Amino acid sequence: MTHSPTRYTAPPTAHPPTLPAVPPQPAPPPSRRTALAEAAERLRHAATTEPGRLRVIGAALALLVVAFGAVAAVQTAERATAAGDVLHRSQPLSSDAAAVYRSLADANTMATSGYLAGLQEKAATRERYEADIRTAAAKLATAAANSAPGSPSAAIITELNELLPRYKGLVEAARANNRQGFPVGGAYLRAANDMMQKKMLPAAEELYRKENQRLDADYAKATSYPWAAIALGVAALAALGWAQRRLCLRTNRVLNHGLVAATAATAVVLLWLVVGHSVARAGLDDSRAHGVRSLNVLHEARIASLKARSDENLTLVSRGAVTKELEDGTVMDAYEWAFDQEIDKLAKALARADRLADDTAGRKPVQRANASMKAWRSRHELARGANDSGDYQKARDRVVGIGARDQSTAECFDNVDASLASALAHETDEFERAARAGAAATTGLPAGSAVLAVLGAAGAVLGIGRRLSEYR
């Protein structure tokens, strides 16, 4: 029996389920360009045509001229303000600070002079002392009103206002005891002098230094060149020249009235800016060289004379109670040593003041002060000799001038002080004259530059507009 082979049949293959068809997604909308990009595109498209190029040139010229005028107005206004501050604020405040120092030193001098005179103290000496105290208080009030709260100057002014009544109380105690014949009056006067020399005058000197720093800052700001405005002015002129040359080459027309007017306005502003600032700078530099520098030296000379006079008086008040050991081991009266130092400072300051004086009116009072200083030195040596020999009364008369006024050192000191006051008045006038001339040189420049720049920009726009009208 025959068997047929068995045929293998593969099982049916399983098919995965059919998924529903996914509809195609629409393409994302194109991103919208920003307004800036669209404006740049329009500008690029416009620049491909001559009218478009002219519009771009006109807008650029107008913008450049207006920018020049604006920067010129701002920079000249800043410098004009600084020049006004030099004349009306910082230099007067510097002089006020010097007046505080001088008034305090002079009050100390008058206090010691009155003490030496005792019952013979003159009313003029007492009145001068009181006037010095009032002047110092008034100048401190002015300085306080012009100082920023919390500033170093404000702290110095506060300190001086606290010390001033304490100093005055010590002087009054010395005066009262002296009139009653109590020797303790000398101790009160020395304490008052120590307060003045070690606390009040150094503080006043620091105030003077800070006010001078403010004056220097105002000078630097007022005399710095407005380089940004000058650079923009040169660029505006160059751009206007290029635009006119371009139009001339394309149209064979030599002049475009609008662009010529814009060029003229820009040139006037630039010339006014350069010349006006140069004149202002020259005037301010002159006020500094022939005014402020001389004033500073004269202030130094007057302060040295006041301190020398105070030390001279205190030599007799202390009667050798205060000594100083020198480097070579020599011991001498401390106030005599201080007098020698201050009189040397006075001589050097007068020599510098004479060199700085630029006319006869300024030189003569300095020369008179120098002659009086030399006489003072000579008479002081006579008073010193009398004191060293034990003749206190003769030394006192040679210093105070009672009974021998025409041969006293007091006369020489008064002559030095009066001559220096005259020199200070002259140099103050010189400063104000030069500073006013400098400040006046830029009068109207900020407003004038702004107005002319607007007119120049309008001229540039009209000139380009005239050319554009030919394409219509």
Side-chain angles (χ1 to χ4, degrees):
M1 179 173 175
T2 304
H3 296 279
S4 60
T6 303
R7 179 176 295 177
Y8 174 76
T9 303
T13 303
H15 294 283
T18 303
L19 297 178
V22 179
Q25 297 294 324
S31 59
R32 186 172 182 178
R33 291 183 300 174
T34 63
L36 183 61
E38 292 180 356
E41 180 63 26
R42 286 196 300 269
L43 185 62
R44 284 193 295 269
H45 178 71
T48 60
T49 63
E50 182 60 16
R53 294 190 189 98
L54 288 175
R55 290 189 182 93
V56 172
I57 291 172
L61 290 176
L63 182 61
L64 188 56
V65 173
V66 168
F68 165 53
V71 173
V74 170
Q75 290 195 320
T76 53
E78 289 175 349
R79 283 152 182 77
T81 300
D85 286 342
V86 166
L87 179 60
H88 301 295
R89 186 177 66 91
S90 50
Q91 198 285 324
L93 286 175
S94 176
S95 293
D96 283 348
V100 169
Y101 193 113
R102 187 174 62 248
S103 297
L104 293 175
D106 193 56
N108 201 47
T109 300
M110 293 302 103
T112 56
S113 297
Y115 184 91
L116 280 178
L119 295 175
Q120 296 175 317
E121 179 184 11
K122 293 185 177 181
T125 302
R126 183 67 183 174
E127 290 171 1
R128 181 168 169 176
Y129 165 80
E130 295 290 351
D132 286 332
I133 295 296
R134 289 194 300 270
T135 299
K139 297 298 184 183
L140 285 172
T142 302
N146 288 278
S147 298
S151 65
S153 294
I156 294 172
I157 294 167
T158 300
E159 180 185 4
L160 286 172
N161 279 325
E162 292 174 353
L163 292 173
L164 189 59
R166 290 167 55 189
Y167 169 81
K168 189 175 181 181
L170 289 171
V171 170
E172 292 305 320
R175 185 170 180 266
N177 280 281
N178 186 45
R179 285 182 171 274
Q180 297 178 61
F182 297 152
V184 73
Y188 278 112
L189 189 64
R190 287 194 297 274
N193 179 72
D194 285 346
M195 179 182 291
M196 179 65 72
Q197 298 291 345
K198 296 178 181 179
K199 294 182 178 181
M200 300 178 72
L201 289 182
E205 185 176 9
E206 179 66 11
L207 179 63
Y208 177 60
R209 187 182 67 82
K210 289 189 178 298
E211 293 300 338
N212 268 351
Q213 288 177 347
R214 185 192 300 192
L215 176 60
D216 290 341
D218 285 339
Y219 262 117
K221 189 174 182 179
T223 57
S224 62
Y225 269 105
W227 291 116
I230 292 173
L232 280 172
V234 172
L237 281 179
L240 287 165
W242 171 83
Q244 291 176 85
R245 182 175 182 276
R246 182 180 184 278
L247 289 179
C248 179
L249 292 175
R250 290 176 177 270
T251 64
N252 292 325
R253 295 174 183 174
V254 178
L255 296 178
N256 179 287
H257 295 163
L259 293 181
V260 169
T263 303
T266 303
V268 168
V269 174
L270 183 60
L271 183 64
W272 191 2
L273 174 66
V274 173
V275 174
H277 181 76
S278 298
V279 172
R281 183 187 176 97
L284 290 170
D285 286 343
D286 184 58
S287 74
R288 192 174 196 174
H290 302 294
V292 172
R293 289 178 61 194
S294 294
L295 287 171
N296 288 341
V297 173
L298 290 170
H299 284 312
E300 291 176 13
R302 202 173 189 188
I303 288 167
S305 71
L306 290 166
K307 293 176 75 172
R309 180 60 178 171
S310 178
D311 291 327
E312 185 179 48
N313 290 336
L314 285 165
T315 301
L316 299 178
V317 172
S318 66
R319 300 196 180 193
V322 183
T323 60
K324 179 178 179 63
E325 184 176 356
L326 305 183
E327 293 181 356
D328 59 0
T330 304
V331 178
M332 68 177 298
D333 186 282
Y335 296 115
E336 278 288 4
W337 178 85
F339 171 84
D340 291 339
Q341 302 302 308
E342 295 302 330
I343 208 74
D344 286 342
K345 289 180 183 178
L346 173 60
K348 292 176 182 177
L350 289 174
R352 293 202 308 273
D354 186 63
R355 291 193 297 269
L356 288 172
D358 56 349
D359 57 12
T360 303
R363 193 171 293 110
K364 278 187 175 180
V366 174
Q367 292 173 347
R368 289 197 303 268
N370 193 49
S372 298
M373 180 272 298
K374 292 178 179 178
W376 185 1
R377 266 184 160 165
S378 177
R379 294 182 186 184
H380 178 81
E381 289 302 318
L382 296 176
R384 177 183 291 185
N387 191 41
D388 291 343
S389 64
D391 193 345
Y392 176 81
Q393 187 62 42
K394 185 176 181 180
R396 175 177 171 273
D397 290 346
R398 286 191 178 278
V399 170
V400 178
I402 299 174
R405 180 68 176 175
D406 58 339
Q407 293 298 317
S408 68
T409 60
E411 180 184 32
C412 298
F413 164 72
D414 288 341
N415 290 339
V416 169
D417 195 64
S419 297
L420 289 175
S422 177
L424 281 165
H426 173 75
E427 295 300 334
T428 299
D429 290 340
E430 289 287 295
F431 160 77
E432 291 179 352
R433 176 192 58 76
R436 283 198 187 95
T442 56
T443 300
L445 181 53
S449 59
V451 171
L452 286 174
V454 171
L455 293 177
V461 171
L462 291 175
I464 295 296
R466 180 71 175 174
R467 179 73 182 104
L468 282 171
S469 65
E470 298 174 1
Y471 285 88
R472 299 190 180 100

